[in-house]
Amino acid sequence: MSQKSALARLLRDNRAHWPGLIWLVVLMLLSGVFKSYAAEYLGQAIDLGMNAQMDGMMHSILITLIMYLCDAVRLGVFNAETARTVERMFLGIKRQAFDAVARCKLSAFDSDMQGGDVLSRVTSDLPKLSQRFAESFTWLISVFSRGIIALVFCIGVSWELSAVYVIMIPVLLFLMNRIGKPIQELQKQASHSSGKAYGIMNEMLSNNTAIKAFGAEYRMDERFDSEVQAQRNRLDQAGRKGTILSLTAYLSDVILMAVLFLYGGWLIAAGRISVGAFVTFVTLSGSIREAFGLLDRGMSTMREAEALAGRLYEVLDLPREGGNDKSDAKLLTSSDEVISMRNLNFAYVPGKTVLNNINISVKRGQHVGIIGPSGCGKSTLVRLISGLYQGYQGEMDVFGISAAKIPLDELRGNIAMVSQNPHLFRGTIAENVLYGNVNADGAQLEQALRNARLWDYVSTLEDGINSQIGDGGSKLSGGQRQRIAIARALIRNAELIILDEASSALDTKTEREIQQTMDEVFRDKTVIVSAHRFTSIRSADYIYCMADGGIAGQGTMRELMAHDSMLRRMAEAQGGAADE
């Protein structure tokens, strides 16, 4: 996306708020009209007073006061409408950003950006952009519109004085633009460093135990300080350039005032304008000078807003999951063949295939094991089945329907997954289990916890199912966290259960207990077990051995253990062959 078009795209994408924005523009223009007429009548009052026409002078002063009163009322309406319109607009953008993160492809976080960077863009850049937009679109544009209208009135008062402004402004504007142009890039680089610093802080919070255990605090401090220092250096550079820009604007203002009084005094002396007209011009020139004096701030604000909008759109433009949500295809959950893959290939990056010519069949009610060393493609395979990854080549049917035709909500609604690291959320035990089925009642929740062999533990807690588990389940043991994940899968009552290294992170005793629990509670389900441990798939009805992204062997446990197969070699290496 072009950085140059970021703010224009922001306006195009928020057409629903155009009526409110147009109303704000009208209010801005009215400000210029009210103040310009006030200045004109003030000049008339001075000329009438100098000619002893007191009635006319009082009438002009009264109109001047009415204009200022109207502008005060306009200002109150303008401030209220600005807060309402901009707040609603950016609340919608915040919702869009959340939806973009929720709907993006899982692979986007594997390659495009870190979670901390996304967090920085949404929690830091978006509020800044809202502030800059409100500032630039409301206050700055209001000042500039007053300046333009004042210039029109000034031309009516004295085209000679106005011509001086018109000739001098472009030259001074060019100088300020040359100085301010690098500020946008510096602001973008500073925001990028801020995002990386957030990412490091996120790593510190999520991996605090490991960092302390290995004495890596100083290394993390160095990484964090490096990014913070980089951000500070770029902000300092932007600040220095901003100072030069402000100085240039100040000197330009002084030059304009000097020319105005010198040339205006000469015009009065020559009788070409009246004193009142000159006062009107001076009053109106204040709006012109204000607009001109804020050009540096306006350009800096717009450049920073461009950079912030560009970073925001990098989040909004994250690649989205490509499920066929408009399809009315319904899964044939009674189909005898739950999963069927034929000549399936998959690559994260074009040209670098990670799954090669996969042919797999999973029958209804069957427990299928997929075993292989780390990095062989097991997790990628089960993520393809659950729709977390898309873009495969070949054919894959799920419950008798081509996966490409199945809406993702329909697909995932019939699949429950228990992974190596159970993803638990800050909240209660009940809230975490109910992520599997928000419509489940208390009896179903209790039954799921009983089946997961966790109810006895929950019953000992003072708050029971409403007990807080901490960030990521930090108040629970590894086995308890895994049992909550099992309960969440159970309460979903899905047709297909995927166990992706579900017990590999546990100690031997806990693994055996968890494995026994899963064998019992998922006995009547169709189950796919992905593991690198022989003990995790020993009860499977059929086994696929994977190596280097392909199928290296398949068959029943008895068939594979009867000859020198990959499974047998893995079992012998892990000390499990003797039991078979």
Side-chain angles (χ1 to χ4, degrees):
M1 185 206 66
S2 173
Q3 191 79 5
K4 188 177 181 180
S5 65
L7 282 179
R9 181 182 172 188
L10 189 71
L11 288 173
R12 289 197 304 270
D13 291 347
N14 289 275
R15 294 184 183 89
H17 300 281
W18 280 13
L21 296 176
I22 292 172
W23 173 232
L24 290 177
V25 171
V26 171
L27 291 173
M28 296 174 199
L29 295 175
L30 285 176
S31 174
V33 172
F34 289 145
K35 291 191 175 182
S36 295
Y37 273 115
E40 182 176 347
Y41 278 101
L42 178 62
Q44 290 180 12
I46 291 174
D47 284 339
L48 291 170
M50 293 180 66
N51 293 324
Q53 300 180 22
M54 303 305 294
D55 291 342
M57 182 185 73
M58 294 302 296
H59 180 262
S60 295
I61 291 176
L62 178 61
I63 293 177
T64 300
L65 292 175
I66 291 174
M67 290 296 104
Y68 279 120
L69 179 62
C70 289
D71 189 54
V73 174
R74 178 213 62 86
L75 180 61
V77 175
F78 178 77
N79 289 337
E81 288 297 309
T82 298
R84 184 178 66 87
T85 301
V86 175
E87 181 178 340
R88 288 184 179 180
M89 176 175 168
F90 277 89
L91 181 60
I93 294 173
K94 185 180 292 185
R95 291 191 180 116
Q96 293 174 33
F98 184 87
D99 182 68
V101 174
R103 302 289 181 184
C104 78
K105 290 183 177 179
L106 189 64
S107 57
F109 292 113
D110 296 335
S111 57
D112 291 350
M113 61 177 68
Q114 294 181 344
D117 195 20
V118 173
L119 186 64
S120 171
R121 293 170 194 237
V122 176
T123 61
S124 178
D125 290 356
L126 186 56
K128 285 182 182 178
L129 180 60
S130 175
Q131 180 184 359
R132 299 300 181 271
F133 186 84
E135 183 177 299
S136 60
F137 187 79
T138 57
W139 180 56
L140 290 175
I141 295 179
S142 178
V143 170
F144 293 149
S145 63
R146 286 202 305 268
I148 292 172
I149 293 174
L151 181 59
V152 172
F153 273 78
C154 283
I155 292 174
V157 172
S158 173
W159 67 267
E160 295 100 328
L161 282 174
S162 301
V164 172
Y165 270 71
V166 172
I167 292 172
M168 295 183 65
I169 285 176
V171 176
L172 299 172
L173 180 61
F174 174 77
L175 292 175
M176 287 193 293
N177 189 52
R178 288 292 299 272
I179 297 171
K181 192 173 183 179
I183 293 177
Q184 176 185 352
E185 183 61 28
L186 289 169
Q187 291 285 358
K188 179 181 177 181
Q189 293 174 1
S191 295
H192 182 67
S193 296
S194 176
K196 294 178 71 174
Y198 268 107
I200 294 170
M201 184 177 295
N202 188 43
E203 289 180 3
M204 172 68 84
L205 291 173
S206 58
N207 301 303
N208 192 262
T209 302
I211 291 170
K212 290 182 179 296
F214 288 94
E217 296 97 332
Y218 294 110
R219 290 197 296 274
M220 296 296 289
D221 285 345
E222 289 174 358
R223 289 177 57 198
F224 185 80
D225 288 343
S226 175
E227 296 301 333
V228 171
Q229 188 62 42
Q231 180 187 13
R232 177 182 176 182
N233 291 339
R234 292 180 177 97
L235 289 176
D236 285 346
Q237 293 177 45
R240 287 193 293 271
K241 290 184 179 296
T243 300
I244 297 174
L245 200 62
S246 299
L247 179 60
T248 303
Y250 178 78
L251 293 175
S252 300
D253 188 47
V254 171
I255 293 172
L256 285 173
M257 287 295 296
V259 172
L260 173 64
F261 277 92
L262 288 173
Y263 192 51
W266 180 81
L267 289 176
I268 292 173
R272 299 174 68 171
I273 60 172
S274 67
V275 174
F278 182 69
V279 171
T280 296
F281 194 99
V282 171
T283 304
L284 291 174
S285 69
S287 296
I288 301 174
R289 288 198 313 274
E290 183 182 14
F292 183 60
L294 288 173
L295 280 176
D296 63 324
R297 182 170 179 177
M299 287 187 292
S300 297
T301 298
M302 293 298 288
R303 291 182 189 281
E304 183 179 0
E306 284 281 0
L308 293 170
R311 280 172 53 82
L312 174 64
Y313 270 110
E314 288 176 4
V315 174
L316 296 178
D317 291 338
L318 284 170
R320 298 214 167 194
E321 293 180 321
N324 191 1
D325 294 334
K326 295 183 179 180
S327 171
D328 58 357
K330 294 295 183 181
L331 296 179
L332 304 176
T333 52
S334 60
S335 173
D336 290 335
E337 192 169 42
V338 176
I339 301 293
S340 176
M341 295 183 180
R342 298 177 296 278
N343 302 319
L344 184 140
N345 297 277
F346 177 75
Y348 294 105
V349 180
K352 296 183 178 180
T353 305
V354 294
L355 293 179
N356 301 288
N357 196 33
I358 301 296
N359 291 276
I360 285 179
S361 176
V362 179
K363 304 297 183 182
R364 181 177 178 80
Q366 193 176 35
H367 287 208
V368 172
I370 301 174
I371 190 170
S374 297
C376 70
K378 305 185 302 298
S379 293
T380 300
L381 187 65
V382 297
R383 289 184 177 189
L384 278 172
I385 295 173
S386 59
L388 295 175
Y389 290 157
Q390 295 99 32
Y392 60 87
Q393 294 179 334
E395 298 181 45
M396 179 170 68
D397 294 342
V398 182
F399 294 106
I401 301 294
S402 172
K405 298 179 180 179
I406 305 173
L408 286 176
D409 289 344
E410 177 77 9
L411 174 65
R412 292 172 183 167
N414 287 276
I415 296 175
M417 180 180 286
V418 181
S419 60
Q420 176 178 357
N421 297 310
H423 300 289
L424 303 184
F425 305 90
R426 187 178 184 87
T428 65
I429 293 174
E431 289 169 346
N432 275 272
V433 175
L434 290 174
Y435 264 96
N437 182 2
V438 294
N439 297 317
D441 56 29
Q444 291 172 306
L445 174 62
E446 179 179 342
Q447 189 60 48
L449 289 168
R450 286 185 181 277
N451 290 342
R453 308 294 187 266
L454 194 63
W455 183 254
D456 290 343
Y457 166 73
V458 173
S459 300
T460 65
L461 301 175
E462 181 179 354
D463 294 324
I465 60 174
N466 295 315
S467 299
Q468 295 287 330
I469 66 172
D471 290 327
S474 59
K475 295 182 179 180
L476 304 175
S477 68
Q480 290 165 345
R481 289 195 293 269
Q482 205 68 3
R483 291 185 186 278
I484 287 182
I486 293 171
R488 186 162 57 194
L490 284 168
I491 205 169
R492 193 171 186 80
N493 195 29
E495 295 294 329
L496 174 62
I497 308 296
I498 296 177
L499 307 177
D500 185 16
E501 300 279 10
S503 60
S504 63
L506 305 174
D507 62 81
T508 304
K509 179 178 181 294
T510 306
E511 180 195 12
R512 188 181 301 112
E513 294 173 352
I514 293 292
Q515 192 66 50
Q516 182 180 358
T517 299
M518 292 189 296
D519 288 343
E520 292 175 0
V521 299
F522 297 137
R523 182 183 296 111
D524 299 326
K525 297 288 186 179
T526 304
V527 180
I528 297 176
V529 181
S530 165
H532 68 272
R533 289 183 181 177
F534 171 78
T535 53
S536 298
I537 53 92
R538 67 195 313 165
S539 60
D541 302 319
Y542 200 83
I543 299 169
Y544 290 92
C545 301
M546 288 192 67
D548 300 324
I551 302 299
Q554 59 181 292
T556 65
M557 175 70 70
R558 185 178 298 276
E559 291 171 347
L560 292 172
M561 295 298 290
H563 63 277
D564 185 23
S565 65
M566 175 182 169
L567 179 65
R568 180 168 180 169
R569 291 193 296 272
M570 292 186 69
E572 291 173 346
Q574 296 174 17
D579 298 332
E580 296 301 322

